[in-house]
Amino acid sequence: MATSDTTTLLSAELHRPTHREMRAMGKTEARALSDALFARLADLERESAAYSYVRGTIIELNMPLVRFAAAGFRRGTAELDDILQVGTVGLIKAVDGYDHRRGVEFATYAIPTITGEIKRFFRDTSWPLRVPRSLQELYLRVARCSDRLEQTLGRLPTPEEIAEELGLDPAEVAAGLGVGRAYRADSLDALRQDRDDPNGSTLVDRLGACDREFDLTEFREAVRPLLRALPARERTVLALRFWGDCTQAEIAAEIGVSQMHVSRLLAGILSGLRERLADERDGPGGQPPGGSEARSVLPR
């Protein structure tokens, strides 16, 4: 479509371009037509049918802005329709709030408005953790107020400034800001700094390793009464071997028997403990407490 056709489209009959005509327009032609429509819109009464007609034409003409903004937020095919709907709401707000007399191009004004509407959509609906509705609403109030104050102050506002603006207690603002951590989880690989580690370290570096002793707690509790039931000499042999780390020869010298006899004593004691643990049948599938870990602790 030639630029000269713009005058025809803005005739008294308010001819709306067809979908084919809009698709055929280049960016320069669409911008020129949009500017002319905004100028025409400013001269119309808001309650008139002509105003609604021109406004609807502007919205339809600028739908590519919505698709452009939505492309940066698309996470899946199922979400695209929702994002486009929310972006269209942002476009309508931009059309209603735009003043062509300020000399700012409509696209420059509309893109942040559309993007902000989409961001609010994700902020309001994308909670990875279940948070009470009252805290969600508090967080959204605090976050939106923080955004407004940041634009006004040119810096991030303090919690006290947010509290004063909203008429809330600073503790409530702190709670709202804290809930924000449930909305957006931090990466385990993100660097964190504190007084003990000024150079920063990742959270994954601070996570503890698995404690094998913890897994054996239940086993120890199951074995304890069995050990108490052993004769005194057998308890002494076990204590010297596994707690005192003595050799069989050293144990034999301690209790006055041969090394061969100590070997037979240890084999008999451990075999008896294994059999009594198996008889407990406390674990699932007939496993003794502690399962395979328990068996691995009792030498054969």
Side-chain angles (χ1 to χ4, degrees):
M1 179 187 296
T3 305
S4 60
D5 292 340
T6 298
T7 304
T8 303
L9 295 174
L10 294 174
S11 63
E13 290 78 13
L14 292 173
H15 169 66
R16 180 195 293 263
T18 65
H19 291 292
R20 179 177 297 179
E21 289 174 332
M22 290 186 183
R23 286 197 298 268
M25 287 183 185
K27 291 182 179 179
T28 302
E29 295 169 331
R31 185 181 303 147
L33 177 56
S34 184
D35 290 343
L37 287 171
F38 272 115
R40 181 65 176 272
L41 191 68
D43 296 331
L44 298 173
E45 294 291 335
R46 282 185 172 268
E47 303 301 326
S48 66
Y51 183 92
S52 298
Y53 193 83
V54 174
R55 177 175 175 267
T57 303
I58 294 173
I59 292 170
E60 188 173 356
L61 183 64
N62 286 280
M63 279 301 296
L65 296 178
V66 175
R67 290 188 284 272
F68 172 79
F73 293 90
R74 182 177 178 179
R75 299 178 182 175
T77 305
E79 289 185 346
L80 182 58
D81 289 341
D82 291 336
I83 297 173
L84 288 175
Q85 288 182 11
V86 173
T88 302
V89 173
L91 174 61
I92 293 171
K93 290 181 177 180
V95 170
D96 291 340
Y98 178 66
D99 186 351
H100 72 286
R101 291 167 297 187
R102 293 181 177 272
V104 178
E105 289 189 7
F106 177 67
T108 304
Y109 175 81
I111 288 294
T113 306
I114 297 169
T115 302
E117 198 69 25
I118 296 174
K119 285 181 178 179
R120 279 190 289 273
F121 166 74
F122 281 111
R123 187 168 67 186
D124 293 355
T125 60
S126 303
W127 289 84
L129 300 178
R130 184 173 180 82
V131 176
R133 184 63 187 174
S134 59
L135 288 179
Q136 288 187 29
E137 293 174 351
L138 176 62
Y139 164 70
L140 294 175
R141 286 184 63 196
V142 170
R144 288 168 180 166
C145 179
S146 178
D147 291 344
R148 291 196 306 271
L149 289 177
E150 184 177 358
Q151 294 295 323
T152 303
L153 301 173
R155 57 172 174 81
L156 287 175
T158 65
E160 290 74 17
E161 290 170 334
I162 298 174
E164 182 178 357
E165 178 73 14
L166 294 176
L168 298 175
D169 187 272
E172 293 179 284
V173 173
L177 294 173
V179 170
R181 289 192 288 270
Y183 173 75
R184 184 178 294 106
D186 292 335
S187 170
L188 293 179
D189 295 320
L191 285 177
R192 297 168 178 265
Q193 294 183 345
D194 54 37
R195 285 177 293 182
D196 297 330
D197 186 10
N199 295 324
S201 62
T202 64
L203 184 59
V204 71
D205 292 333
R206 304 183 186 190
L207 296 178
C210 293
D211 187 351
R212 184 171 177 271
E213 297 298 315
F214 180 79
D215 295 334
L216 295 175
T217 300
E218 183 182 0
F219 167 70
R220 288 195 181 94
E221 292 303 314
V223 170
R224 195 184 305 276
L226 300 181
L227 294 177
R228 290 200 191 101
L230 291 175
R233 189 172 74 162
E234 293 184 1
R235 289 202 304 272
T236 300
V237 170
L238 289 179
L240 291 173
R241 180 66 186 90
F242 297 107
W243 281 268
D245 199 24
C246 297
T247 65
Q248 291 185 8
E250 291 171 336
I251 297 173
E254 179 69 25
I255 64 176
V257 298
S258 67
Q259 179 179 343
M260 183 64 68
H261 189 61
V262 170
S263 178
R264 287 195 296 268
L265 274 175
L266 283 172
I269 294 169
L270 296 175
S271 177
L273 288 175
R274 281 193 294 270
E275 290 176 2
R276 275 174 278 179
L277 278 175
D279 290 340
E280 292 288 334
R281 305 289 183 182
D282 287 341
Q287 293 290 329
S292 60
E293 288 287 343
R295 290 197 181 95
S296 68
V297 172
L298 295 177
R300 295 186 178 276

